[in-house]
Amino acid sequence: MRITIIGSGNVATHLAAAFKNAGHAIVQVYSRDLQNASLLAYHVRAEAIDNLDQINAETDLFIIAVKDDAIETVATALAPYQKLIVHTSGATDLQVLLNHSQKAGVFYPLQTFSKTKEVDFNTVPICIEGADEHITSQLNELAYTVTQNVYRISSAERKTLHLAAVFACNFPNYLYYLAQQLLAEKQLPFDLLRPLILETAQKVKEYLPADVQTGPAVRNDEKTMTDHLQQLQEKPGLQQLYKLLSQGIITMDNDG
């Protein structure tokens, strides 16, 4: 398939590489920053452009991998070409594209991406949605060329999935940052926590989170929790976060 990538960020970079490795032709890479477009285009042997007026109509698919608030603007510019247009957002409804074209869909890779960290794309879940069954089938076939984990997910379901992903990925990473800051205050290395973090992640591969929850809150160890709160007495924001998370853990069984 001939594919044009709109964007040059983390998602665009990994998708472009995955498609190229799967044998698809990357026609163009667009970015408002020509240097960024050129860097990605070089690696996937595509043409770099920084103006949507330079779009090559000889493509089969436009993949919009830009910030959510720019998706509709880009879709408006691409609609006249009457090609299949998909976005890669977890939080944006398919209707945003349908407002401008009936040849529309969603190709959402559920993973955290960084340009400097390689990802085994064959394990990445791809959530697809099409404006009709024919488009959905097309996207399904395309997805299976880069991964073995393909799911048909509606816009409403995808929004819930995206919310869950924030709780599962973005928030824990922020908590890692807070832990790093606490250690740094005592000149302790973050490396001390890496094995603990990895072991916690490994458990989730086999068990449900509620079945492997540990720590003072799940044991209702009030003495330890009180001591922790005293250590945070000069950090009222962290105190409040500690209390909120601990209370959530204490009530896990009831929540289920």
Side-chain angles (χ1 to χ4, degrees):
M1 182 176 279
R2 295 168 299 178
I3 300 171
T4 295
I5 304 292
I6 308 298
S8 60
N10 294 336
V11 174
T13 296
H14 283 275
L15 273 179
F19 286 132
K20 181 64 178 177
N21 293 338
H24 300 285
I26 309 301
V27 179
Q28 291 177 313
V29 174
Y30 162 83
S31 173
R32 292 182 299 176
D33 186 321
L34 185 58
Q35 184 175 355
N36 290 341
S38 297
L39 182 60
L40 177 53
Y42 172 79
H43 287 291
V44 296
R45 298 182 180 180
E47 178 189 7
I49 61 174
D50 62 354
N51 192 318
L52 291 175
D53 291 337
Q54 300 170 313
I55 285 290
N56 182 347
E58 296 302 314
T59 190
D60 301 311
L61 171 66
F62 292 115
I63 294 186
I64 301 176
V66 299
K67 292 181 179 180
D68 287 6
D69 58 6
I71 290 174
E72 188 153 19
T73 299
V74 173
T76 302
L78 298 178
Y81 294 99
Q82 298 185 344
K83 304 291 185 176
L84 178 56
I85 304 171
V86 304
H87 71 63
T88 59
S89 168
T92 303
D93 200 288
L94 174 60
Q95 188 61 47
V96 170
L97 298 183
L98 291 176
N99 291 338
H100 305 280
S101 173
Q102 292 303 304
K103 295 182 177 180
V106 178
F107 197 92
Y108 171 50
L110 182 57
Q111 184 54 277
T112 176
F113 295 108
S114 300
K115 288 184 180 180
T116 56
K117 175 72 167 58
E118 289 190 18
V119 171
D120 180 5
F121 221 94
N122 192 54
T123 66
V124 175
I126 299 291
C127 303
I128 61 169
E129 181 182 15
D132 56 41
E133 183 56 35
H134 175 67
I135 291 174
T136 302
S137 295
Q138 277 185 286
L139 295 178
N140 188 72
E141 183 177 344
L142 175 64
Y144 271 112
T145 66
V146 296
T147 184
Q148 294 303 302
N149 295 321
V150 183
Y151 300 86
R152 296 190 179 196
I153 303 289
S154 70
S155 286
E157 292 169 332
R158 191 174 61 258
K159 287 182 179 181
T160 299
L161 183 60
H162 189 262
L163 173 60
V166 169
F167 274 94
C169 175
N170 305 132
F171 289 167
N173 192 71
Y174 174 66
L175 294 178
Y176 299 156
Y177 165 76
L178 294 180
Q180 176 191 352
Q181 295 300 105
L182 289 171
L183 291 174
E185 290 177 1
K186 301 297 184 182
Q187 289 78 52
L188 293 170
F190 185 69
D191 283 346
L192 284 168
L193 290 182
R194 292 186 196 275
L196 176 65
I197 292 170
L198 291 175
E199 176 61 20
T200 303
Q202 286 294 327
K203 286 181 180 179
V204 180
K205 293 174 66 174
E206 300 181 34
Y207 304 97
L208 292 174
D211 295 333
V212 291
Q213 183 68 54
T214 62
V218 78
R219 299 191 301 270
N220 201 23
D221 184 348
E222 294 185 5
K223 182 178 182 299
T224 297
M225 288 189 286
T226 298
D227 179 66
H228 287 169
L229 290 171
Q230 287 176 347
Q231 292 182 60
L232 296 171
Q233 60 184 344
E234 296 182 3
K235 304 178 189 296
L238 290 191
Q239 269 194 336
Q240 185 62 29
L241 183 59
Y242 185 99
K243 291 178 181 178
L244 184 64
L245 293 175
S246 295
Q247 187 58 38
I249 292 172
I250 290 170
T251 60
M252 279 178 69
D253 289 340
N254 295 331
D255 292 342

